[in-house]
Amino acid sequence: MAAIAEIGLAMYLTFVVLFPLLWLDLLSGDGLMLAGHVLMLPAMAVAMLHRREEFVGAC
């Protein structure tokens, strides 16, 4: 259950980090969506590597 929460947190945090750039008009809404989804992949990979034995053992 903790692994699922960590992956979910990684997905949301990428957008939370980018919101100030949106609020300061340094990033458009489309740019937020693009950057958030691009950053989501490495963030999820870090969360998965943190619990490597759970994800590799499932195969």
Side-chain angles (χ1 to χ4, degrees):
M1 195 70 160
I4 295 170
E6 288 176 3
I7 294 289
L9 185 63
M11 293 170 68
Y12 281 103
L13 280 180
T14 57
F15 285 93
V16 170
V17 169
L18 294 172
F19 277 138
L21 297 175
L22 178 70
W23 296 331
L24 293 172
D25 286 331
L26 298 174
L27 195 61
S28 68
D30 289 338
L32 174 76
M33 292 301 288
L34 178 64
H37 283 95
V38 168
L39 292 175
M40 188 185 296
L41 294 173
M44 290 171 61
V46 168
M48 290 174 71
L49 288 173
H50 178 68
R51 295 183 176 271
R52 181 179 313 166
E53 59 281 346
E54 289 184 36
F55 287 98
V56 173
C59 293

